[in-house]
Amino acid sequence: MNDSIPFFAWQTTPLELLSFVLSVLTVLLNIRQIHWAWLFSILSSALYGIVFFSSRLYGDSGLQMVFVVVSVYGWYCWLQGSKQSQEMPVTSLNLMQRFAAILAWLSGFVILSLFLKTYTDTDVPYMDGFLTAGSLVGQLLLSRKKIENWLIWIAVDVLYVGLYLSKGLVLTAILYGIFVVLAAIGLKQWSAACRV
C-alpha cells in the first residue's frame, strides 16, 4: 500500500490519492451544508491518519483520529437540526466565544507541542502542535456551523501547504492549497446564510 505511483509530475501512494479525493468531496459537501460530508470526513480522516503516521506527523495523525470522533458528533448535530424540521442555522461566535476559541487554540498548541517534542521523534513539534490545535478548533466550530470555522481553516491550510511540501507530501500540499480556495468559497457562501 506504500508503493509509490505517478500522479502528474509527482509521486504519491494509492492511500494518499484516495484520502485526497475523499477530502475534496468532504469540503465540497460542507460548503453546500450537505450532511453526507461527515461520512466522507470519517473515511478521509481515518485514511489520512495512516498517511501522516508514516510521515512522522504524529500530531496530524492523532488529529485525524479526533476528526473521526468530531465528524460523528458533527453529523449528529447537523441531523438533529433536520429532525426539528429545520436545518441547523449558520451563526457566528460572540466576543467571549471568539476569545475562548483563541485561548483553546493557544492552550492546545502549548500542550501538543510539548507532548510531541518530549514523546515522539517528530522533527516539527511546534508547527505540528500549532496546526493540530487550530484544526481541532476549526473542526469543532464547523460541527456547530459557526462561520469562523472557515477563517481558521484558511489560516491553517495556508501553513499546512508549507509543512506538507517540507515532508514530501506534494499531493497533500496541493490538497491543502485547494482547501484554502474552498474555505474562501465556504466563507462567502456561509456569510450569505449567516443568522448571526
Side-chain angles (χ1 to χ4, degrees), residues 117-139:
K117 186 172 175 56
T118 305
Y119 296 107
T120 74
D121 63 348
T122 184
D123 54 347
V124 288
Y126 300 111
M127 182 63 87
D128 201 4
F130 181 75
L131 295 177
T132 299
S135 297
L136 285 169
V137 173
Q139 191 75 353

Side-chain angles (χ1 to χ4, degrees), residues 33-78:
Q33 300 182 49
I34 297 172
H35 71 86
W36 290 108
W38 296 108
L39 174 61
F40 290 101
S41 178
I42 291 166
L43 296 172
S44 65
S45 296
L47 295 177
Y48 255 125
I50 298 166
V51 171
F52 293 146
F53 189 84
S54 66
S55 295
R56 295 188 319 155
L57 290 169
Y58 304 119
D60 284 337
S61 181
L63 174 65
Q64 298 307 309
M65 298 307 103
V66 173
F67 277 176
V68 169
V69 174
V70 173
S71 293
V72 171
Y73 171 72
W75 201 355
Y76 171 80
C77 289
W78 284 28

